[in-house]
Amino acid sequence: MSYSNITENNSPIEEETFIGFVGLQPFNLADAKTHLQRYEFKPRPLDGDEVEIAVSACGICGSDVHQLTNGWKRANYPLIAGHEFIGKVTAVGDLVKNRQIGQRVGVSPVCRSCGDCSQCNSSHSQLCPSKVTTYNGKYKGYSTFGGYSNKVRVQASWAIPIPENISDEEGAPLLCAGITTYLPFKHQNIGQKTSVGIVGIGGLGHLAIQWAKAKKCQKILAVSSSTRKQEDAIKLGATDFVVIDEDGSFDEQFLRSVDVLLICGSGKTTQWGKLTELIKTRGKMVLIDVPDEPILLPAAALVYQHISLIGTFVGSNDDLKEMLQFASETGVRPWIQTVTNTLEGVNGGIKDLIQGKAHYRIVISNQK
């Protein structure tokens, strides 16, 4: 450790104990023994190109549930989740020139990249082969722990300044759900002349609808399995709403009606072939949601209509700055519920998300 690294008291960083809420085994809703526990740990030394952040608000993301339950089959325990959080810088490495003690910053699912590869040099640093994920990753032999802890250390270039008019609690979900749903609008040139469909009106979908409205899309079709969220979808900015029944049937006026279909939510009963029938010939289906199980999408549904299937993964540090500025200017904000930064509060937030009670993002808050 370089002792030119300094803290907010302008003194050398001393080894301290961080505190977080940890999963030690796959989370099972019905088994309290598997729920998160209080956990103390010694952080790895702060690198010269890093900052330390005291977390003030952290979103509970759907990805956290996939990881904590080991639904994606790649969780490494002990696991401290949280990859959409905001806080203030409490320490800076001796190589950091553009972040200051006390500055308010946010962190996304990626917390480090090499800066030299083709992906980093083309503003796709989230795809860097050497990237380090904010939690459930490895760096210099240490496990990375996320925003369910009181402090986190990340590469300074991934500590993104937060606009003043975005609060900690509303800003935190923008660092994952916000950038994940924003990026297709940028990369697929979705704008005023585009008809866009959004499947799943949840933590991702409710933001995708707002981006579409902010981009002034000519048609914004919200797609759901029932009318339960129709009123919300219209308030968020949808111009149209369609229900796809269990057998895949839907109102024929929406057949081949959108240029781009964003998949923001799916499940075991999702009729993937039927969803393609909403898309115009030569249109696009963009996968944003990552389900636990492989999807069953008939190739013919794509081939015979020249429909492209596209994946998208969060965003680069440049994309994050752009997205936050656009949200600041247009008023795009997540609909949130807050839980206290306590073991009971965090476990309760995870349970609510698993049980479908989120409306639409749950955020751990340090606010009294």
Side-chain angles (χ1 to χ4, degrees), residues 22-237:
V22 69
L24 297 174
Q25 57 187 307
F27 191 103
N28 184 326
L29 196 61
D31 185 356
K33 295 193 299 294
T34 70
H35 297 174
L36 302 193
Q37 302 177 28
R38 189 177 186 275
Y39 187 73
E40 295 186 2
F41 62 97
K42 295 291 185 183
R44 59 172 175 74
L46 187 76
D47 273 5
D49 66 347
E50 291 185 318
V51 296
E52 178 184 279
I53 302 164
V55 179
S56 57
C58 179
I60 299 179
C61 182
S63 298
D64 297 347
V65 170
H66 289 294
Q67 294 282 28
L68 288 167
T69 61
N70 202 23
W72 283 339
K73 303 296 187 291
R74 57 176 187 253
N76 298 299
Y77 303 96
L79 190 154
I80 298 180
H83 62 197
E84 48 177 43
F85 60 87
I86 289 175
K88 289 186 177 180
V89 174
T90 54
V92 296
D94 57 341
L95 301 177
V96 176
K97 307 300 182 186
N98 55 0
R99 300 291 183 271
Q100 295 80 39
I101 300 294
Q103 185 174 9
R104 199 165 64 107
V105 296
V107 177
S108 78
V110 175
C111 69
R112 173 172 287 276
S113 54
C114 75
D116 293 324
C117 69
S118 61
Q119 299 289 3
C120 289
N121 289 330
S122 59
S123 292
H124 298 293
S125 50
Q126 81 276 23
L127 304 179
C128 172
S130 302
K131 71 177 178 290
V132 178
T133 54
T134 302
Y135 73 84
N136 200 46
K138 286 286 186 182
Y139 179 62
K140 292 189 173 180
Y142 288 80
S143 296
T144 57
F145 291 152
Y148 292 16
S149 55
N150 65 328
K151 289 185 176 181
V152 180
R153 293 175 176 177
V154 304
Q155 191 176 36
S157 59
W158 284 95
I160 310 301
I162 304 298
E164 289 185 6
N165 67 342
I166 298 178
S167 70
D168 292 352
E169 287 75 21
E170 288 187 321
L174 292 176
L175 278 304
C176 179
I179 189 62
T180 299
T181 49
Y182 175 85
L183 203 65
F185 287 86
K186 177 179 181 177
H187 285 176
Q188 307 308 321
N189 297 313
I190 300 172
Q192 293 185 31
K193 296 182 179 180
T194 311
S195 296
V196 62
I198 292 101
V199 179
I201 317 305
L204 294 172
H206 90 289
L207 281 164
I209 292 173
Q210 290 184 69
W211 294 130
K213 181 181 179 182
K215 293 286 187 178
K216 299 180 171 58
C217 293
Q218 66 177 13
K219 181 190 189 103
I220 306 169
L221 175 64
V223 183
S224 192
S225 59
S226 74
T227 59
R228 184 168 60 93
K229 297 179 181 178
Q230 183 170 2
E231 185 176 345
D232 281 355
I234 300 304
K235 285 181 181 178
L236 288 161

